[in-house]
Amino acid sequence: MPDVTLPGGVLRVALDVPVRRLFDYLPPQSGPAATFPETHPAAACPGIRIKVPFGRRRLVGIVVETARASDVPRDRLKPALAALDAAPVLDGEALALVRWAADYYHHPLGEAIACALPKALRLGAPVARTEQRWVATPEGLEAFQRGEPRRAPQQRRLLALLAGQQDASAALDAPVSLALGATGSATPGGMLGPGSEPAADSPRWREAARALARRGWAACRAETVAPAPVTTTAGARAAGPPLTAEQALAVQRIGGSLGRFAAWVLHGITGSGKTEVYLRAIEEVLRRGQRALVLVPEIGLTPQLVGRFRDRFDAPLAVLHSALTDPERLAAWREAFSGQARIVIGTRSAVFAPVRELGLIIVDEEHDPSFKQHESGFRYSARDVAVMRAQRAGVPIVLGSATPALETLHNVSTRRYERLSLPHRAVQSEPPRMSLVDLRAHPAHTGLSTPALQAIERHLREDGQVLVFLNRRGYAPTLLCTACGWIAPCKDCDARLTVHRAAQRLRCHHCGAETRLPERCPQCGFLVKSVGQGTERIEETLAETFGAGALVRLDRDVVRRRGDMESVMARVASGAARILVGTQMVTKGHDFPNMTLVVVLNADQGLFSTDFRAPERLAQTIVQVAGRAGRGAKPGEVLIQTEFPEHPLLRNLLAEGYEGFARTALAERAQAAWPPFSRLAAVRDSATTPEAALAFLTDARRAAGRT
Ligand code: ADP
Ligand code: ZN
Ligand code: ZN
């Protein structure tokens, strides 16, 4: 295969396909893109989007680099169809970061880039915001002068408006539906005119506009909207509380590191005022005319948190999270890209968000598993990518947590990171008392032991609120036939199905498969029985004892839509609900000053798991939930139900707190040569036959030198 040198050069393009290589194309050859070499000098090419033929499809890819030659024979090289951008959507820094991540996590670059860009851009939406605007044509203006249209008052009114606008050389915002469909712009259509006019997207209005267009009197034009001017002055709108000495020291150290790379671990107990430290550090960043990137876990990005940023700063904020619609995500990305947003706050994939003149990165709850994509696709740790981003950009990063990941603590002890401690609550209140309930002495038939039930009753009597935590949603984790021993299995994977009683479904929490809930055993016809507890069943048990009205549940089954979580939280905040039952979701978020008791139902799942990180997750969860207790004037109490009260990790956690736990757990990891004292890679294989999968895995093991 001869190397051919091409006069126009070769574009090496990353495409969103699961193939581990770049694809070579010639520059576009005809049409408006024929000017490609002039408008896109080779150096400016990387980072622009390009539309290319790919098999029978047309795909939008990113030009990663240009080359003089290709390994592909010249007659097989195809020209690209069109360049979509005049300037890169991924600048040199951004592209280098994604390339690093794709390389580090062994993932195809095209798919990694797809994580970094909103879907609308990947489908070809313009980088700049466009709006559809209706204008009167010259014929329309003439017709209007003549007093037309005479018999269509709605059209006459509309033409009058358009004619009036024409004079002011302005135009009218189009209905949102048109703007959305055509361009992906999220600008809401406003009202057509003053008060009495119909809303811009009302069918009658649209009808009139179309009628005018048919007569050639009006036309709809797409116009690029210049981004609002970038604010140069941005700062605090409100002053925060006077800082505690510990907070002041943290702010001072972080502030002193602006302008160079430094990795700070802000280790502060829940309520110690970490967020206040972030706010002050960002204030300094804004004062320098720079921007901040804030990453928060999936469940941490509440309207409360965003509200706290908005209340504090007189600066535009772009918010990026997984529940955004595609147009919303594009709009937020544009705010960040244009530099208009001074603070970009988002969940995992926001680590790749464009932020100009980046001054500081903050990762809140850095230990949170949602920063790591586990399930499928591009598996990366947003926290670790963020550290790399900070290092490349030469800016400090703050990793905040009440329960830092063991890897992070290890990085502190090896001096790669430096710790700033906030060991006290910002607002005077006692840390909660923690104790264990021995389930061997106090069996829990309904999931709740007698001491736990008594404690709940006592706290309710004393006007407190109670949080009951169980990290398992659904009604019961197992459906069992008591006659033949059949256990409902998932057809698609090897997990067991979870009973969801309200929905009358069996669901696989592993792969998502589901079926109807059977009444009888499919094997022998005997009645089946739900075994074990999930939040749905605990809710039922508690409702029997304390009344359903006092109760509210929070888990992924309850929170299906945006706003659901808010309404649940509002019921707790108002005091309407006295008991909150929930999964992981309850560990972060609101402050409930009246929450005086936390009950952890099943600690033992975490103690004996095949996942070496399970004990760490357990300890983090216990500390995080416990942090919900006693944040007000009344002291808090935490009860942890376990069958293993002697377990050293639990003992350590209770006696010495997370710090003590972490020391023991890290020593165990060192002894067993688990990360961070070793590296771990998972080799996963999927195939149509077990033999093929096994053959590959056997080869892989041999290649790794283990036989
Ligand atoms: P964390 O993020 O560590 O959980 P927050 O920053 O949310 O802590 O602070 C907990 C509570 O204490 C909040 O209500 C916050 O407004 C308040 N707070 C934080 N710092 C101070 C301070 N220096 N003085 C008074 N109140 C503070
Ligand atoms: Zn059976
Ligand atoms: Zn399954």
Side-chain angles (χ1 to χ4, degrees), residues 481 484 521 524:
C481 170
C484 77
C521 171
C524 75

Side-chain angles (χ1 to χ4, degrees), residues 398-457:
V398 179
L399 307 174
S401 178
T403 53
L406 293 183
E407 285 87 349
T408 300
L409 290 178
H410 182 64
N411 280 329
V412 169
S413 60
T414 57
R415 296 174 180 263
R416 242 166 285 164
Y417 299 170
E418 195 169 345
R419 171 158 34 191
L420 301 165
S421 293
L422 304 178
H424 305 104
R425 284 188 174 181
V427 185
Q428 270 315 313
S429 64
E430 301 248 321
R433 259 176 305 121
M434 280 205 218
S435 52
L436 301 177
V437 176
D438 185 348
L439 284 175
R440 292 165 311 182
H442 308 279
H445 299 296
T446 54
L448 286 148
S449 63
T450 310
L453 282 167
Q454 286 169 342
I456 294 175
E457 215 172 280

Side-chain angles (χ1 to χ4, degrees), residues 70-81:
S70 172
D71 293 340
V72 181
R74 162 132 222 177
D75 55 353
R76 288 191 35 215
L77 273 181
K78 290 193 186 129
L81 299 167

